[in-house]
């Protein structure tokens, strides 16, 4: 065949891709299916020529080659086989409404699940077996009643509308809900699941949620019951209608039967809805999961309440505590400031005392130093005044600490010179610091 | 290759034709010197010859003449017998023969009890003998037309024809003086009829052949790969075909008759036979026009009957049957593990396929890309009633030179049974909307090996070094849901087939995408020039080993590499 043209481009070679001879084998083909090629047409004949290549194939090879070939045609007889109930074979087709159409076709175990092609094949199989023309040809004068049953069954089952009508009342497909006794023995899911699978056949919405098991989540279980409590069913009951007389004479009678039928259908539909509801109720009642979820929920609720109460209590306590704490802090602060105040007072007093004391030392020192006169020289009143004035002046200019320092220097000194030196130094320091001028001193520092 | 003589006394020239042999109708065809298949009309001018034989005082009537005998001479008229050939009585369905000679058990086969000679005696004539007589008549018509003695044929048969049936067919044909060169399956014959047209292009495609006949409907899904055909799935339905459509019209007109005349013409065999013939004619007329009339002299109780019906009414009556045919096609596609979107062509074959509504329904079922080959959807379509005969004639011309041994060996399972790929093989290309790259199939799945396919790929615009990445790919269906625009009121009233009434508000958009599978190999083509192209060839050997070659078109050299065959080749029991 000619090469096809592809307009989309090949990708750029990735950076660093290298391979010997520029080819990298990676995988292998997945397996293949053995099939027959049709031995038809010029291309096949060319293929055959190549494949034979002067060889002759044997009968054995024929069998061997055919062994694994995928089959494409089903056997007409099909896989559907079911023994025929002799009583069923006696049925009268006139009573077709009473027959089990699936059993007639040998599809009892498939029922509403039978596919269209299954029905067709089943029909053909029965057809081949029971055809009246065959029986007549075989010289048997058996009536063709069962053949008619087969035809009727096929007619009903291959017509989607009629099939639904029949499936609606096909009790053989029903699965009875477990009795109380059975239910008590346990096996809830095993007992109920088939019931809902069977009921599910009437659902307009497919697929239908499954009952699930112990591990189903609350959501799944809720979905399940919601689905079944809001079940949208196509089930209808016209199949059980009373025959409407089709002669034109008795029109009233006809209308009467029709009305009766209509009412009966409605009634049955209502009953069916109620039946299903009751069934779901019953299942729900026995569903331990509901109790489990309730319990979990209740436990959850209680816990929430306790939690809430605890929280409230804690909140209250916290409030009280907080208030107490605040009070405590306030008191503490108060206390502290009291102490502080007291201590401040003390310190002040102490400082005052110290100042007083130091002042005494300072004043005393000049007295001890004979008012800074050489020993033996008597200080006159004037001298005393002058020196004391100087001392006063210095004391007025210096801070308590300086005073304390000065006092400590002077403390214990007895010799006038030494005392005088200390004072001179002090005065000098003060003059240097610009606190006052030398001229302000009469004696000290001179 | 010449005709082998091997000491046989007659050095015969082989004159082979194609025959389609249905339960309802047969056709004969030959291949002209230009290689064109032509259907032959018999002496009555019929191209569709009813497969019916009727006997009156020892005289044999065939085809249309025999068919008209179903009214007056039904007991000596043999019809709808093809499927009984090579079967035992227990496994046949006698339904179609209800209004003609009944089949009966005869030793291990089936026979008809008829007065086929001048004497009054009833003879048991086996279905084999009837077949021989039928083929003899067909061959004789062909000989008359071609002006030379036809002595060989290819006959088309259903895909589920058993070995026993084939053997019986061979013998019956032989007894008619017609050497049966080969039996080919009906759907394949139909495909070949199309592929043999001079303008046909050999492409890999999936074809559905829908053969809607008189007593049966058969579907075949065929992978056409390089002009070779593999049937992937089939189905057969004996309840939904032309006869059931006739029945609808019979019932329709019978009811009308009853209304006026109070008698049911269906209760009287002769009346029913008349009604059936006319109903069929009316049905055929409805394939052409919007209206058809029916007129029967002395239908029942000496009362004439005339009526008309329009196509719309007929299509309403037949909606269920049409719907069932459509579903049958869907089922068969599914059976082949394919999706509706995988189907490239639908060939409508068989007489019932003339019905416009059937192909219209298929147009709706398939994607607009799928070609529906039928008279009402494609002006160039081949007459569906003639497809099988044409295909058989083409095959006859291809093998008429072969000797028996040669044909036997060519059709031997050692030749025909072949591994078919499970996945497509392709190459990754770059596309704007995917970062990961896009798979482009070179070899489609269900291709028989050995096979070789090539593709010429664009390179990046600037050229340079390119990568050839060969992978397996599997087709996937991507479904996207789209809110459907709410339309007011109901769909158009011609929407007569059985669409479900509880349609959803969402519309599903389905498209085919590729899922990249196993990476098989990587190769580099270096220094591709600006605007250059790269040719990649994948060759799969009979043992499923693969050879990949890639080269720049017009340049020397290139890359070539091998992949080992897989360890095991699974059989078809998947
Ligand atoms: N133009 C037409 N329109 C509609 N139906 C037609 C037309 N032509 C033929 N038929 C119907 O096609 C059927 C015959 O089809 P065909 O010739 O393919 O049958 P066959 O293959 O011989 O039959 P069988 O399925 O019984 O083996 C008949 O039911 C006939 O009425
Ligand atoms: Mg046919």
């Amino acid at each position: 065949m000619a090469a096809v043209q592809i307009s989309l481009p090949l990708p750029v070679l990735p950076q660093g891709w290298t391979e010997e001879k520029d080819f990298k084998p990676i995988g292998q083909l997945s397996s293949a299916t053995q099939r027959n090629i049709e031995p038809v047409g010029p291309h096949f004949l060319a293929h055959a020529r190549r494949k034979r290549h002067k060889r002759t194939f044997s009968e054995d090879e024929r069998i061997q080659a055919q062994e694994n070939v995928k089959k494409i045609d089903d056997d007409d007889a099909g896989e559907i086989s079911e023994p025929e109930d002799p009583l069923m074979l006696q049925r009268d087709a006139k009573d077709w409404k009473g027959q089990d159409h699936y059993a007639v076709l040998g599809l009892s175990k498939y029922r509403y699940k039978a596919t269209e092609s299954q029905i067709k094949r089943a029909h053909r199989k029965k057809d081949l077996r029971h055809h009246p023309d065959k029986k007549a040809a075989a010289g048997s004068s058996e009536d063709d009643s069962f053949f008619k049953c087969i035809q009727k069954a096929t007619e009903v089952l291959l017509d989607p509308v009629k099939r639904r009508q029949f499936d609606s009342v096909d009790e053989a497909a029903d699965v009875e809900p477990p009795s109380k006794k059975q239910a008590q023995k346990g096996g809830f899911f095993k007992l109920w699941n088939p019931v809902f699978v069977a009921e599910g056949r009437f659902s307009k919405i497919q697929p239908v949620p499954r009952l699930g098991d112990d591990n189903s989540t609350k959501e799944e279980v809720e979905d399940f019951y919601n689905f079944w409590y809001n079940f949208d069913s196509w089930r209808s009951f016209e199949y059980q209608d009373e025959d409407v007389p089709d002669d034109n004479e008795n029109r009233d009678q006809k209308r009467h039967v029709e009305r009766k039928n209509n009412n009966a259908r409605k009634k049955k539909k209502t009953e069916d809805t109620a039946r299903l509801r009751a069934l779901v109720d019953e299942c729900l009642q026995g569903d331990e999961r509901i109790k489990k979820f309730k319990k979990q929920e209740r436990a959850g609720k209680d816990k929430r309440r306790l939690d809430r109460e605890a929280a409230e209590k804690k909140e209250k306590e916290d409030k009280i505590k907080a208030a107490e704490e605040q009070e405590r802090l306030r008191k503490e602060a108060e206390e502290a400031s009291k102490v502080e105040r007291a201590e401040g007072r003390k310190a002040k007093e102490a400082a005052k005392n110290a100042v007083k004391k130091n002042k005494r030392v300072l004043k005393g020192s000049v007295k001890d130093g004979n008012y800074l006169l050489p020993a033996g020289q008597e200080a006159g009143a004037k001298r005393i005044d002058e020196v004391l004035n100087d001392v006063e002046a210095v004391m007025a200019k210096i801070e308590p600490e300086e005073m304390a320092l000065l006092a400590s220097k002077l403390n214990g000194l007895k010799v006038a010179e030494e005392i005088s030196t200390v004072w001179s130094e002090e005065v000098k320091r003060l003059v240097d610091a610009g606190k006052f001028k030398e001229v302000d001193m009469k004696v000290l520092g001179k | 290759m010449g005709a082998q003589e091997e000491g046989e006394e007659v050095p015969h020239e082989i004159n082979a034709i194609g025959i389609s042999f249905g339960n309802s109708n047969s056709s004969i065809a030959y291949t002209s010197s230009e290689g064109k298949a032509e259907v032959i009309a018999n002496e009555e001018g019929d191209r569709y010859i009813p497969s019916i034989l009727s006997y009156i005082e020892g005289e044999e009537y065939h085809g249309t003449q025999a068919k008209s005998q179903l009214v007056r001479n039904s007991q000596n008229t043999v019809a709808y017998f093809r499927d009984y050939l090579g079967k035992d009585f227990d496994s046949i369905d006698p339904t179609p023969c209800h209004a003609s000679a009944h089949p009966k058990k005869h030793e291990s086969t089936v026979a008809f009890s008829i007065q086929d000679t001048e004497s009054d005696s009833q003879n048991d004539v086996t279905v084999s003998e009837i077949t021989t007589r039928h083929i003899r008549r067909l061959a004789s018509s062909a000989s008359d037309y071609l002006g030379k003695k036809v002595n060989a044929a290819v006959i088309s048969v259903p895909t589920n024809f058993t070995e026993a049936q084939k053997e019986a067919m061979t013998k019956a044909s032989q007894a008619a003086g017609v050497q049966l060169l080969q039996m080919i399956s009906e759907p394949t014959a139909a495909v070949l009829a199309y592929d043999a047209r001079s303008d046909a292009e050999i492409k890999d495609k999936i074809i559905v052949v829908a053969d809607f006949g008189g007593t049966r409907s058969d579907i075949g899904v065929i992978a056409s790969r390089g002009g070779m055909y593999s049937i992937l799935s089939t189905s057969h339905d004996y309840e939904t075909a032309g006869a059931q459509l006739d029945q609808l019209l019979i019932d329709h007109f019978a009811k009308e008759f009853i209304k006026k005349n109070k008698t049911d013409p269906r209760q009287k065999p002769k009346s029913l036979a008349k009604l059936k013939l006319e109903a069929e004619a009316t049905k055929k007329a409805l394939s052409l026009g919007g209206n058809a009339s029916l007129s029967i002299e002395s239908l029942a109780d000496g009362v004439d009957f005339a009526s008309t019906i329009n196509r719309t009414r007929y299509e309403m009556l037949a909606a269920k049957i049409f719907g069932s045919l459509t579903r049958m096609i869907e089922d068969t596609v599914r059976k082949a593990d394919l999706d509706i979107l995988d189907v490239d062509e639908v060939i409508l074959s068989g007489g019932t396929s003339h019905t416009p509504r059937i192909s219209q329904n298929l147009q709706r079922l398939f994607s607009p890309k799928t070609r529906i080959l039928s008279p009402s959807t494609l002006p160039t379509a081949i007459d569906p009633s003639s497809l099988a005969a044409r295909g058989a004639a083409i095959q006859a011309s291809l093998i008429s030179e072969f000797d028996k041994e040669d044909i036997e060996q060519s059709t031997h399972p050692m030749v025909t049974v072949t591994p078919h790929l499970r996945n497509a093989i392709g190459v990754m290309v770059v596309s704007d909307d995917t970062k990961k790259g896009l798979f482009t199939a070179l070899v489609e799945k269900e291709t028989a090996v050995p096979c070789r396919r090539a593709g010429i790929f664009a390179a990046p615009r600037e050229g340079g070094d390119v990568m050839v990445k060969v992978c397996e790919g599997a087709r996937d269906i991507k479904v996207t849901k789209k809110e459907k625009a709410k339309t007011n009121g109901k769909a158009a009233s011609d929407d007569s087939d059985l669409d479900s009434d509880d349609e959803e508000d969402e519309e599903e958009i389905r498209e085919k995408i590729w899922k990249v599978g196993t990476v098989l190999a990587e190769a580099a083509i270096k220094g591709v020039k600006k605007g250059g192209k790269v040719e990649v060839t994948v060759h799969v050997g009979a043992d499923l080993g693969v050879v990949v070659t890639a080269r720049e078109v017009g340049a020397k050299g290139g890359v070539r590499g091998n992949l080992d065959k897989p360890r095991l080749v699974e059989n078809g029991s998947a």
Side-chain angles (χ1 to χ4, degrees), chain B residues 21-26 48 51 80 82-83 186 211-218 241-243 246 280 283-284 287 349-355 385:
Chain B
F21 174 10
N23 290 295
S24 305
N25 297 297
S26 298
Y48 323 120
S51 306
Y80 309 106
R82 198 267 324 265
D83 280 353
E186 289 170 343
D211 179 358
F212 301 132
T215 64
R216 51 187 286 171
S217 292
D218 300 276
D246 295 342
E280 187 184 358
K283 177 186 74 174
K284 289 184 187 172
S287 292
S349 170
T352 301
S353 289
H354 285 279
T355 315
S385 294

Side-chain angles (χ1 to χ4, degrees), chain A residues 151-245:
Chain A
Q151 283 184 314
K152 203 67 209 182
T154 314
E155 181 196 317
V156 170
L157 296 184
L158 282 182
D159 179 324
V161 176
K162 288 185 187 157
R163 186 173 178 192
R164 277 208 160 173
Q165 292 177 355
F166 175 68
D167 281 342
S168 280
V169 297
D170 181 12
E171 284 173 8
D174 286 345
V175 177
E176 288 299 313
S179 67
K180 289 250 152 64
K181 242 191 208 158
Q182 278 175 306
Q184 272 163 9
K185 282 194 200 132
F188 177 82
F189 299 110
K190 236 175 141 180
L191 288 170
W192 278 101
N193 189 45
V195 177
F196 284 102
V197 170
E199 291 292 338
R201 71 191 192 272
F202 301 123
S203 177
K204 282 186 192 163
I205 302 162
Q206 296 287 352
V208 168
R210 305 290 289 251
L211 179 59
D213 55 28
D214 269 329
N215 300 321
S216 305
T217 65
K218 184 165 176 237
E219 210 169 51
E220 283 164 349
V221 175
E222 273 170 3
D223 280 352
F224 174 83
Y225 285 106
N226 275 341
F227 180 89
W228 285 97
Y229 277 122
N230 297 303
F231 193 70
D232 194 1
S233 162
W234 50 256
R235 194 173 194 184
S236 63
F237 295 89
E238 53 273 76
Y239 197 83
Q240 291 165 340
D241 278 358
E242 201 175 295
D243 286 341
V244 178

Side-chain angles (χ1 to χ4, degrees), chain B residues 70-71 99 268-278:
Chain B
L70 285 169
V71 176
K268 299 189 176 110
K270 228 177 244 174
S271 307
L272 178 62
K274 274 188 190 171
L275 187 52
K276 184 168 163 50
L277 285 179
E278 290 308 313

Side-chain angles (χ1 to χ4, degrees), chain A residues 4 30 33 73 120 134 159, chain B residues 92 234 236-237 320 420 472:
Chain A
V4 286
S30 8
T33 314
D73 267 304
K120 278 184 180 163
K134 269 182 169 175
D159 179 324
Chain B
I92 65 156
T234 62
H236 317 283
D237 187 332
K320 253 184 214 169
H420 286 59
E472 280 195 322

Side-chain angles (χ1 to χ4, degrees), chain A residues 15-83:
Chain A
Q15 285 274 305
W17 191 98
T18 51
E19 202 64 43
E20 207 181 315
K21 295 197 172 145
D22 286 344
F23 185 84
K24 181 180 176 189
I26 300 170
Q28 292 155 359
L29 286 186
S30 8
S31 50
T33 314
Q34 292 287 353
R35 289 186 191 280
N36 255 313
I37 317 178
E38 292 290 285
V40 169
H43 297 272
F44 169 79
L45 292 173
H47 160 86
R49 224 171 9 249
R50 284 191 299 268
K51 200 153 175 182
R52 284 171 59 197
H53 197 63
K54 292 196 183 121
R55 279 181 58 198
T56 303
F57 300 113
S58 69
E59 205 48 37
D60 280 352
E61 284 171 308
R62 170 190 299 276
I63 295 158
Q64 211 182 6
Q66 274 166 331
E67 232 163 40
N68 291 327
V69 176
K70 178 144 181 155
K71 262 210 174 138
I72 52 152
D73 267 304
D74 321 309
D75 202 350
D76 259 350
E79 77 283 17
I80 304 138
S81 68
E82 204 172 271

Side-chain angles (χ1 to χ4, degrees), chain A residues 1-14 17-19 21-45 47-52 55-59 61-66 68-74 76 116-117 120 123-124 127-129 131-138 147 151 154 158-160 162 164 204, chain B residues 89-95 98 103 159-160 182 184-185 188 192 202 204 226-229 231-232 234 236-240 320 324 327 335 395 398 406 409-420 422-423 425 427-430 438 440 446 453-460 465-467 472 519-524 526 534 540 544 546 559 561-564 566 570-572 574:
Chain A
M1 284 198 351
V4 286
Q5 299 278 342
I6 294 104
S7 55
L8 290 172
L10 292 167
V12 174
L13 192 70
W17 191 98
T18 51
E19 202 64 43
K21 295 197 172 145
D22 286 344
F23 185 84
K24 181 180 176 189
I26 300 170
Q28 292 155 359
L29 286 186
S30 8
S31 50
T33 314
Q34 292 287 353
R35 289 186 191 280
N36 255 313
I37 317 178
E38 292 290 285
V40 169
H43 297 272
F44 169 79
L45 292 173
H47 160 86
R49 224 171 9 249
R50 284 191 299 268
K51 200 153 175 182
R52 284 171 59 197
R55 279 181 58 198
T56 303
F57 300 113
S58 69
E59 205 48 37
E61 284 171 308
R62 170 190 299 276
I63 295 158
Q64 211 182 6
Q66 274 166 331
N68 291 327
V69 176
K70 178 144 181 155
K71 262 210 174 138
I72 52 152
D73 267 304
D74 321 309
D76 259 350
E116 190 173 332
S117 82
K120 278 184 180 163
H123 165 67
R124 180 147 183 89
D127 217 21
L128 298 186
R129 186 180 305 172
H131 205 290
D133 289 354
K134 269 182 169 175
K135 294 203 166 134
F147 180 72
Q151 283 184 314
T154 314
L158 282 182
D159 179 324
K162 288 185 187 157
R164 277 208 160 173
K204 282 186 192 163
Chain B
F89 185 71
D90 288 340
S91 62
I92 65 156
D93 176 7
T95 312
H98 190 69
T159 58
N160 63 346
Q182 191 186 355
I184 66 175
S185 77
T188 319
L192 184 60
I202 300 302
D204 289 343
M228 288 201 283
Y229 316 118
I231 302 184
L232 304 180
T234 62
H236 317 283
D237 187 332
Y238 309 88
E239 313 290 334
T240 324
K320 253 184 214 169
S324 164
R327 280 201 301 284
K335 229 162 120 181
Q395 182 69 5
L398 291 173
D406 214 6
Q409 284 290 312
S410 294
T411 57
H412 193 285
M414 287 295 282
V415 175
T416 60
V417 176
T418 313
H420 286 59
R422 285 244 175 111
N423 288 303
I425 305 172
V427 173
M428 300 303 291
V429 294
V430 183
L438 210 63
T440 311
E446 301 298 3
R453 295 289 186 279
I456 293 171
F457 292 83
D465 298 349
V466 299
M467 153 82 95
E472 280 195 322
V519 179
L520 298 173
E522 287 175 354
K526 293 189 175 150
V534 174
V540 185
L544 295 176
V546 178
V559 177
N562 295 302
L563 300 173
D564 291 342
E570 269 175 49
N571 63 41

